[in-house]
Amino acid sequence: MKLKFLYVPIVILILIIIFILPIKINTSITANGKLLPSKVWIISKGLEGLLYTTLVDNVNGFNEEYSITQFARGDLIKFSLNKNIKPGKKIFINDTIGIVYSSLNEQEIATLKGELDAAKASLQIGISGEKESLIELENKNLDYAKKQVEEQTKFFVRQKKLFEKQLITQDEYETENARLELYKINISIAEERLRSVLTGTKKEELQLINSQIKSLENQITVLQNKSNNLLLKSTINGIVSASYNQDTLLIINSENKFTALIPIKLNLANSFNAGNEVEIIPRNGNSILAKIESVDKSVKIFLGEQFIIAKTVFESSSDTFYTNEIVECKISGNEVNLLDYIMFYLKK
């Protein structure tokens, strides 16, 4: 009996020494994680002719890119998927996935091109044909004015001789003199009109036509860019995934890069941080090592228990894993002393 009582203090002493000694033990847990591609590009359709493209970042947990294409009421919309696109096919960035045809867009482009051709024809007429005819007319007017002066000069010379011989009155003489001066002024006017035609035929009118041409060209460019945007091109490298939802037209999952979402009980959360090592064990048993990328502090509740989600990113062949597959994950936690390790073990 005395020996038994001697063992008790010895055991207590040993335990005290163990707890006092700087012995560190790694915590670890095994949990089932859900595998997702690091990025997913989705094409889907909505009500009233809406077409959506969404780039989902599963690592950070948000939509990295989002676009909406809207069409007018009465527009005939047709989406044609690239015939080479099949589930399991590898896709590269900027590969054409499909084409969206808009009847109104094509009709507007055709209408604007017709108006542009008409405007260019009007400009050509204003610059060439009409200008030549105006120049010819003004030249004739100038020749006529010169002939008037020539004839009136001859007539005035005769009238002057008659006036000097007092055969006509002074009023008649002055009237013919004034008519000669008027004809000379007409020459100046005709010369100015010809100069104006030579330097710029209907300048304001031609400027207006040029403005119309530029406006039409800009409108056509905008619509053609819109048509080019209706060529749906992949924003990621990935693998085509089948979709059985009638509103989802296509899904492309990023290739060879995955994220594992691993639930950790809330009461164990302090033992795991970003950077901790994770061993992911696939179906073939060849484990893959990764590290915790981040820990989502938003608490999730499942079957009455509280969890946080640890995320890890790793690269692997797409043949090794399936999207949404549940895999075994062994997470190495922080180093703790023996007492804390016992407390951690009791919480598991």
Side-chain angles (χ1 to χ4, degrees):
M1 290 293 292
K2 289 182 179 180
L3 279 171
K4 288 183 180 179
F5 282 114
L6 285 173
Y7 287 136
V8 173
I10 293 172
V11 170
I12 292 173
L13 181 61
I14 292 172
L15 289 174
I16 291 172
I17 292 172
I18 290 174
F19 287 131
I20 291 174
L21 288 174
I23 299 173
K24 297 292 183 180
I25 303 173
N26 282 330
T27 56
S28 65
I29 61 170
T30 299
N32 290 327
K34 184 178 181 179
L35 293 186
L36 297 173
S38 60
K39 291 187 179 182
V40 181
W41 191 56
I42 304 170
I43 306 173
S44 57
K45 64 178 181 178
L47 299 175
E48 298 181 357
L50 293 177
L51 188 69
Y52 303 90
T53 61
T54 309
L55 181 60
V56 181
D57 184 343
N58 284 322
V59 176
N60 296 304
F62 54 71
N63 291 342
E64 183 178 322
E65 192 176 286
Y66 185 76
S67 69
I68 301 176
T69 305
Q70 186 171 14
F71 301 93
R73 288 179 178 270
D75 195 0
L76 175 62
I77 305 302
K78 181 181 177 182
F79 175 75
S80 298
L81 191 66
N82 188 327
K83 293 180 180 179
N84 295 321
I85 301 297
K86 296 178 182 178
K89 182 177 176 60
K90 188 173 181 178
I91 299 297
F92 296 95
I93 291 177
N94 291 327
D95 278 357
T96 299
I97 304 302
I99 300 173
V100 180
Y101 172 82
S102 165
S103 62
L104 288 181
N105 198 60
E106 296 300 320
Q107 183 179 340
E108 286 181 29
I109 290 176
T111 301
L112 289 173
K113 283 184 175 179
E115 293 178 7
L116 178 62
D117 289 341
K120 286 182 176 179
S122 297
L123 181 64
Q124 191 62 31
I125 291 172
I127 292 174
S128 58
E130 186 177 354
K131 186 173 182 178
E132 289 175 3
S133 62
L134 285 174
I135 291 172
E136 185 180 355
L137 176 62
E138 295 305 331
N139 269 319
K140 287 181 179 179
N141 289 336
L142 179 59
D143 289 341
Y144 179 72
K146 287 179 177 179
K147 282 195 174 189
Q148 278 187 316
V149 170
E150 184 181 345
E151 295 295 328
Q152 182 63 21
T153 300
K154 292 178 181 178
F155 182 71
F156 177 70
V157 169
R158 290 196 299 268
Q159 293 296 95
K160 184 178 181 182
K161 290 179 180 179
L162 293 174
F163 175 70
E164 289 172 350
K165 294 178 180 179
Q166 296 182 350
L167 295 176
I168 60 172
T169 64
Q170 185 171 351
D171 288 340
E172 289 176 307
Y173 170 77
E174 290 178 354
T175 298
E176 297 304 327
N177 184 39
R179 183 175 285 116
L180 176 60
E181 294 301 321
L182 178 61
Y183 288 164
K184 288 179 180 179
I185 292 172
N186 285 343
I187 288 178
S188 298
I189 293 173
E191 287 174 341
E192 185 61 33
R193 285 173 63 88
L194 178 60
R195 191 179 300 110
S196 175
V197 170
L198 290 171
T199 55
T201 304
K202 296 184 178 180
K203 186 176 180 181
E204 296 79 6
E205 219 175 292
L206 295 180
Q207 286 177 343
L208 177 60
I209 295 174
N210 270 315
S211 298
Q212 290 173 342
I213 288 173
K214 288 181 180 178
S215 175
L216 289 168
E217 286 174 340
N218 289 335
Q219 291 180 64
I220 290 171
T221 300
V222 169
L223 288 174
Q224 286 177 335
N225 288 337
K226 183 179 176 181
S227 292
N228 292 335
N229 289 335
L230 296 180
L231 289 175
L232 293 181
K233 297 185 176 183
S234 177
T235 59
I236 62 172
N237 295 323
I239 303 295
V240 177
S241 175
S243 171
Y244 302 100
N245 187 329
Q246 63 177 355
D247 291 330
T248 302
L249 303 176
L250 189 72
I251 297 174
I252 297 178
N253 297 318
S254 59
E255 184 188 22
N256 300 335
K257 195 171 184 180
F258 297 87
T259 180
L261 307 182
I262 309 168
I264 299 174
K265 288 183 179 180
L266 183 60
N267 57 354
L268 304 178
N270 293 333
S271 300
F272 301 94
N273 300 308
N276 288 155
E277 191 172 86
V278 180
E279 182 183 3
I280 300 169
I281 305 172
R283 298 179 307 279
N284 60 17
N286 297 324
S287 62
I288 295 173
L289 293 179
K291 290 185 178 181
I292 293 179
E293 186 80 12
S294 63
V295 178
D296 187 353
K297 300 299 183 181
S298 176
V299 176
K300 308 293 188 295
I301 298 177
F302 180 70
L303 296 177
E305 290 197 78
Q306 299 182 88
F307 294 87
I308 58 170
I309 304 298
K311 299 178 183 179
T312 182
V313 181
F314 62 95
E315 294 186 4
S316 177
S317 169
S318 56
D319 297 332
T320 306
F321 297 105
Y322 292 118
T323 299
N324 297 322
E325 181 182 359
I326 304 299
V327 295
E328 184 180 349
C329 301
K330 293 181 179 180
I331 310 176
S332 298
N334 303 327
E335 285 188 343
V336 295
N337 58 39
L338 184 59
L339 180 60
D340 288 336
Y341 180 78
I342 293 172
M343 296 302 296
F344 173 83
Y345 183 79
L346 293 173
K347 290 178 183 178
K348 289 173 67 175

